Amino acid sequence: MGRVLAVIIWILALGSVALFTTKKWWFPTAISSHAAALDRQFMLTITIVGLAFTAAQIGLGYMVWKYRDTGDRSRATYTHGSNRLEVVWTIVTAVIFIGLAVMGQSVWASLHFNKAPAGSFRVYVVAQQFQWNFHYAGKDGVFGRTDPKLIDDSSLNYIGLDDTDPNAKDDAVHSVLAIPSGRPVELILRSKDVIHDFWVPQLRFKQDLVPGMEIHVHFTANQPGKYELACAELCGSLHFKMKSYMLVLPEAEHQALVALPQDQFQARMTELLAKYQLPQTGN
Ligand SMILES: [Cu+2]
């Protein structure tokens, strides 16, 4: 029985590793400028963790095999172990994992902690159960005033935009995120109710939206197209419906879109959504 268990452990371990090494299920093709560095870090981390996992499982199977019940009724012996070994592998493990964490934070921190570059295209993202609202500044590039007291979902004023503010006249609010290709984008993330999470797998970008907080993040997408945008935080009973699209548009097409007045903006967005196709799955 001990041998069977050992072999099962090895098969399960190698099967798990094969799921990753064959890359049958893998990330979609990346479309952001930081993605290469992030994917490199991911590969490094998963390779080191994978090697440690494989070694540990092979060792576990070996112990199960070697110390199986052979029916000779010999008594087990107690050993206290080795303090030196304990210290060595604790330090080695700590160095590896702290090293990976320190290396990994540089890309992440550059997008989450640093200020967005000057000239970034800015969008306010207001999440709510269960939809995305993207607030565009319009032709003047200045956001109209918003006030939580003016929020009225029944009249479609989801973000509380103050119509009396002159800067709000050319603003547009839409459920789809449209950003320029090749130009930095700054998102200012807010939530009206619970924690939501902005996630576009191709962007290699994921960030929570937290009620009461205004979270600034930035990135640059460089591949025009239509991409699925999901809420990646279980935010309520209709969480699964909280999805939308992100359109990455060539700069000129994007500039023309955001300069349109609100009603034409909505119509143009519908056209653009039909014009661009989602990437083929599995790539
Ligand atoms: Cu959500």
Side-chain angles (χ1 to χ4, degrees):
M1 195 60 202
R3 284 181 183 151
V4 175
L5 184 57
V7 171
I8 290 174
I9 288 171
W10 288 331
I11 290 173
L12 282 177
L14 295 178
S16 311
V17 172
L19 286 178
F20 289 91
T21 51
T22 56
K23 290 200 171 180
K24 184 161 166 43
W25 294 278
W26 201 247
F27 301 151
T29 306
I31 59 156
S32 58
S33 55
H34 67 273
L38 201 139
D39 285 1
R40 220 178 304 123
Q41 180 63 35
F42 182 86
M43 279 310 294
L44 179 68
T45 303
I46 203 163
T47 304
I48 291 173
V49 171
L51 287 173
F53 170 77
T54 308
Q57 298 305 305
I58 288 174
L60 177 64
Y62 171 74
M63 292 298 175
V64 169
W65 182 294
K66 186 174 181 198
Y67 297 106
R68 69 190 184 279
D69 180 7
T70 52
D72 66 358
R73 299 181 145 264
S74 58
R75 288 178 70 85
T77 53
Y78 171 77
T79 74
H80 185 68
S82 161
N83 283 342
R84 189 195 289 173
L85 261 183
E86 293 276 357
V87 170
V88 168
W89 68 46
T90 303
I91 290 176
V92 169
T93 310
V95 167
I96 290 174
F97 283 96
I98 293 171
L100 284 176
V102 170
M103 286 168 70
Q105 62 82 40
S106 69
V107 181
W108 188 87
S110 69
L111 304 171
H112 291 77
F113 292 154
N114 292 353
K115 266 199 151 75
S120 297
F121 177 69
R122 303 177 82 211
V123 184
Y124 273 90
V125 184
V126 182
Q128 69 181 88
Q129 289 171 317
F130 297 94
Q131 71 180 47
W132 294 99
N133 306 295
F134 297 100
H135 178 192
Y136 300 88
K139 200 170 185 178
D140 62 0
V142 182
F143 288 96
R145 199 179 78 83
T146 56
D147 184 342
K149 292 192 198 80
L150 298 173
I151 288 174
D152 182 5
D153 287 6
S154 59
S155 66
L156 308 185
N157 191 358
Y158 298 111
I159 66 166
L161 189 63
D162 182 357
D163 286 339
T164 61
D165 179 7
N167 290 328
K169 291 281 179 264
D170 63 349
D171 286 19
V173 180
H174 200 283
S175 62
V176 169
L177 174 61
I179 59 170
S181 175
R183 179 178 162 200
V185 172
E186 179 179 13
L187 298 184
I188 304 143
L189 305 162
R190 289 168 162 175
S191 171
K192 282 162 68 175
D193 35 44
V194 298
I195 297 176
H196 299 277
D197 189 287
F198 174 93
W199 186 38
V200 180
Q202 287 88 351
L203 268 184
R204 302 290 191 273
F205 196 88
K206 200 161 179 277
Q207 172 63 48
D208 275 2
L209 296 91
V210 183
M213 286 181 77
E214 196 175 87
I215 299 173
H216 293 246
V217 291
H218 62 94
F219 52 78
T220 305
N222 45 30
Q223 185 62 50
K226 180 165 78 172
Y227 306 95
E228 278 186 309
L229 187 171
C231 176
E233 185 74 46
L234 184 54
C235 57
S237 58
L238 297 179
H239 159 69
F240 69 95
K241 285 184 73 176
M242 194 166 165
K243 54 187 177 181
S244 184
Y245 294 108
M246 179 181 81
L247 283 174
V248 180
L249 303 173
E251 177 83 41
E253 193 169 42
H254 182 264
Q255 267 183 7
L257 169 74
V258 293
L260 291 172
Q262 164 87 287
D263 52 337
Q264 290 177 40
F265 180 98
Q266 306 287 339
R268 180 68 184 140
M269 198 69 119
T270 308
E271 284 172 17
L272 289 169
L273 280 168
K275 175 180 169 184
Y276 287 94
Q277 302 302 312
L278 287 171
Q280 296 294 309
T281 49
N283 69 348

